[in-house]
Amino acid sequence: MLKLYRLTPDSAEYWETWEQEHGEHIVHWGALGTRGTDKTIRSSFLRKATNIIQKEIDRLVADGFAPISPEEHAVLMIEYAVEGMGSPADLDKRHELEARMNELLGWTGLGICDGGSIGSGTMEVCNFVVDFALAKQAIEADLAGTEFGDYSRIYDERHFA
């Protein structure tokens, strides 16, 4: 998977691609925080999907798109209160939330879920995001009114004291 971003004072955009099957690639792009648009590029007898995608990558890089290193991502934590070390139901909830966050953050260009932890009275789901404020807003809206809406806080682990 390749993810590129163009972040300016006026706009924030993402573009990504990944191989779905041999000779078939998905390209997904849009304004950061939106579902965006996607298309499938397939290899044919006369043209390889990888060559088509590389031309698009070259054009995007020339237009100011670039990857964002993992060190530049915010570490967005979603925390829940649990009793003691947590229950099997808590663990199931965490796994369901991890899948939900991968779906939400991935399809909006905001980032990825990196798993979670449970124990000592809390359960957390860890996410690496390119824009903390925008990701927090998207997550709050997505979780409102669901079984995941009872989180105790959402915070950036790098700035938590």
Side-chain angles (χ1 to χ4, degrees), residues 1-16:
M1 172 174 274
L2 174 65
K3 291 185 177 198
L4 301 173
Y5 298 90
R6 181 168 58 185
L7 308 175
T8 69
D10 299 323
S11 69
E13 301 167 90
Y14 66 92
W15 182 95
E16 62 185 350

Side-chain angles (χ1 to χ4, degrees), residues 45-109:
F45 180 73
L46 296 175
R47 32 182 227 153
K48 290 186 171 203
T50 53
N51 293 343
I52 297 166
I53 292 168
Q54 188 59 55
K55 285 181 184 176
E56 194 165 343
I57 291 167
D58 294 343
R59 180 186 59 78
L60 290 165
V61 169
D63 285 344
F65 280 79
I68 295 177
S69 72
E71 296 80 23
E72 295 177 84
H73 284 68
V75 181
L76 184 148
M77 303 294 287
I78 308 169
E79 182 182 83
Y80 294 82
V82 297
E83 192 167 313
M85 298 304 285
S87 67
D90 292 329
L91 188 57
D92 288 344
K93 180 178 180 176
R94 191 190 91 201
H95 291 153
E96 290 171 21
L97 181 58
E98 290 168 3
R100 186 179 186 120
M101 288 301 96
N102 263 328
E103 186 77 11
L104 173 69
L105 298 173
W107 284 106
T108 56

